[in-house]
Amino acid sequence: GAGVSQSPSNKVTEKGKDVELRCDPISGHTALYWYRQSLGQGLEFLIYFQGNSAPDKSGLPSDRFSAERTGGSVSTLTIQRTQQEDSAVYLCASSLSVYNYGYTFGSGTRLTVV
Amino acid sequence: GEDVEQSLFLSVREGDSSVINCTYTDSSSTYLYWYKQEPGAGLQLLTYIFSNMDMKQDQRLTVLLNKKDKHLSLRIADTQTGDSAIYFCADERTGGGNKLTFGTGTQLKVEL
C-alpha cells in the first residue's frame, strides 16, 4: 500500500480481555517495527521484524505481549489479559530494510483498557 | 546509558526561528533523526544526520550535531503555525537493526 496501515485506529477493551492489533507495512518493506507511546513514557521500542523473524524482542514488556509476522508482510501484536497500564498508542513502522535510515510510521492504534 | 533527553515545551512567535535541543548519551550512535508528530497522527521523518557530520540543512530546517557533547539541535527558520507539533529526536546505535531510541518529545507552540 501507499503507507503503513494500522487497524483498528481505536480500541476500547475490558481489563483481562485479549486484543490483537494489526499492521500492514508498505509493500516491499522487509523491516517492521512496533513501538508504544504512553503518557509520560515517550516512545518505547517493543519488537522488530526482519522478514518474518524477530531478532530483537527485548522491548516486549511482559510475556503477555507477543507479535508475529507472516509472509513478510502483515504483522499482528497480541496482548493477552490486558491491564490498565497497557493503555497507550501502539505505533507500527516499516522500512525497506534494517539498513535503510528512517522509517515510515502508521497512525497508530489507541488502546484503552477499562 | 540509553537516554535521549529533550525539553518538554517551546513557544515561539510566528516568523521567528525555533531551536529544539536534544542530548543523547550513547557514543555508538550512528544516525540521529528528527521526527514530527501532529495531533492524532503517526510520526513523520523530518530529517536525519550521520554521526560524522556537523551540520545538515534542508530548506527551513538546520540540524547541528556536536558529537563531543552529544548534543543535537533542530532549527526551524521562519516558524509557521503549521509547524506546531511535537518534535522527537531519536538515535540509532551500531548493530541495533535500525532500532531507534526516542526522546520524550518537545511540544512546539507557534503563536501569532
Side-chain angles (χ1 to χ4, degrees):
Chain A
V4 178
S5 178
Q6 292 188 247
S7 61
S9 53
N10 277 287
K11 176 75 178 176
V12 180
T13 190
E14 290 180 355
K15 180 179 167 183
K17 300 274 190 187
D18 297 352
V19 294
E20 266 192 11
L21 312 180
R22 176 187 167 107
C23 173
D24 203 340
I26 291 173
S27 179
H29 279 197
T30 63
L32 185 149
Y33 303 81
W34 283 99
Y35 285 81
R36 177 167 76 171
Q37 186 177 23
S38 350
L39 276 175
Q41 296 280 349
L43 270 149
E44 49 177 332
F45 167 80
L46 297 178
I47 186 171
Y48 87 91
F49 290 89
Q50 174 59 22
N52 291 335
S53 65
D56 189 345
K57 306 178 185 181
S58 63
L60 294 177
S62 74
D63 58 9
R64 296 186 295 105
F65 287 71
S66 62
E68 65 174 16
R69 189 179 186 196
T70 53
S73 182
V74 172
S75 175
T76 54
L77 176 69
T78 302
I79 310 172
Q80 295 178 307
R81 304 181 303 281
T82 50
Q83 304 295 311
Q84 286 185 328
E85 62 263 27
D86 300 332
S87 296
V89 177
Y90 290 81
L91 290 164
C92 175
S94 70
S95 67
L96 204 53
S97 81
V98 295
Y99 305 108
N100 285 83
Y101 25 81
Y103 320 141
T104 302
F105 276 89
S107 299
T109 294
R110 180 176 295 278
L111 175 67
T112 304
V113 182
V114 296
Chain B
E2 295 195 0
D3 288 346
V4 178
E5 295 188 352
Q6 301 177 239
S7 53
L8 292 180
F9 298 103
L10 177 65
S11 179
V12 300
R13 296 178 70 90
E14 189 178 40
D16 288 350
S17 291
S18 309
V19 179
I20 302 170
N21 294 301
C22 173
T23 57
Y24 60 99
T25 56
D26 199 303
S27 56
S28 72
S29 297
T30 53
Y31 284 94
L32 295 118
Y33 300 85
W34 285 102
Y35 282 84
K36 176 183 180 182
Q37 186 178 37
E38 295 181 84
L43 275 72
Q44 172 197 354
L45 176 64
L46 283 180
T47 187
Y48 63 91
I49 188 168
F50 188 48
S51 59
N52 69 353
M53 296 170 65
D54 298 323
M55 186 182 87
K56 180 177 180 181
Q57 185 147 8
D58 184 359
Q59 300 182 333
R60 291 191 298 124
L61 305 178
T62 304
V63 178
L64 294 177
L65 175 61
N66 181 329
K67 195 171 180 181
K68 175 176 169 289
D69 294 339
K70 299 188 183 66
H71 182 266
L72 181 73
S73 67
L74 174 70
R75 180 177 179 269
I76 307 172
D78 187 25
T79 314
Q80 302 297 307
T81 54
D83 295 324
S84 293
I86 301 176
Y87 291 80
F88 291 90
C89 66
D91 76 335
E92 177 188 342
R93 287 106 195 247
T94 307
N98 206 11
K99 179 175 79 175
L100 300 183
T101 301
F102 285 86
T104 49
T106 298
Q107 181 155 6
L108 174 64
K109 182 178 176 183
V110 182
E111 298 174 328
L112 296 171

